[in-house]
Amino acid sequence: MERFFANLSNELFKLRKRKKYLVFLILGSAICVASALRVLIVNYITDGGVSRQAILGGLMSSNLTFLLLLFLPLMAIMATCDLFVGEQVDHTIRFSLMRPVGKGKIFFSKAAAAFLLCAFDLAVMYVVTTLTQVCLGGGTEGILTSLGASLLDLIPLAVLVLFFSLINQLVKGSSLTVLLCVVCYVGLLILGTYTPAVGGLVFTGYLRWHNLWIGITLPLLSLLPRIGLLAGYGLVFGCCGYLLFDRREA
């Protein structure tokens, strides 16, 4: 495990050196703050008739759809493509393979680095949104609920990262990989949304995992198949991705 964490630290360092992730994080934070400014517009239109607490309560919960379905998947696509196919294209992955670290640890440390980037971005968005809610007079309503929702949604996010890591082993071009990740993700998202018959079997339908645990209380027996389905997807994506990565030449 020591070698795994050492390689994970190295992969995180690679991501930190790329300024585009900081730029996107700032843009995402700005969008979250801008979504809260509607309280000023509504208060102005209604001449203070609508309270700020009523509008801003649970601000993070209202921003989760944007974060989970658009922003964080974009970050996951960029990170996995940079760490996998990007290094394959410029042959810098050879430096990783020369270290006394097995290919399995290299593969999963890269996937873990991409996941930790997304988790860090989600944490920053939570802090920014919460501070915005409190500073604009929205109070503290829904803060703990939003925190729990964010923590729960990290589970399907990890499966999504493994899915993108698998796709990165299928093609060699950077642009083609990004396009394939986007097309597959959007296709699965549309399939799960507009095809009710298979919607419950598509893992992208569980990106808002908190909906099954917070607000609507379901019996544990009803949740077990969904938990098993998500765990199965993660195992398949992780194992298949590793096998393809192990056979791929640098």
Side-chain angles (χ1 to χ4, degrees), residues 3-4 7 95-103 105-106:
R3 293 181 179 180
F4 172 81
N7 202 70
F95 297 106
S96 298
L97 297 176
M98 290 173 62
R99 297 189 181 96
V101 183
K103 281 191 173 182
K105 293 180 180 179
I106 294 176

Side-chain angles (χ1 to χ4, degrees), residues 199-210:
L201 300 177
V202 181
F203 73 96
T204 53
Y206 297 103
L207 287 176
R208 288 173 287 186
W209 186 241
H210 65 275

Side-chain angles (χ1 to χ4, degrees), residues 87-126:
E87 293 189 3
Q88 292 278 356
V89 171
D90 58 20
H91 302 293
T92 55
I93 197 171
R94 294 178 179 177
F95 297 106
S96 298
L97 297 176
M98 290 173 62
R99 297 189 181 96
V101 183
K103 281 191 173 182
K105 293 180 180 179
I106 294 176
F107 173 82
F108 286 107
S109 64
K110 288 180 178 292
F115 169 74
L116 289 177
L117 172 70
C118 295
F120 174 77
D121 286 351
L122 181 59
V124 172
M125 298 297 181
Y126 173 80

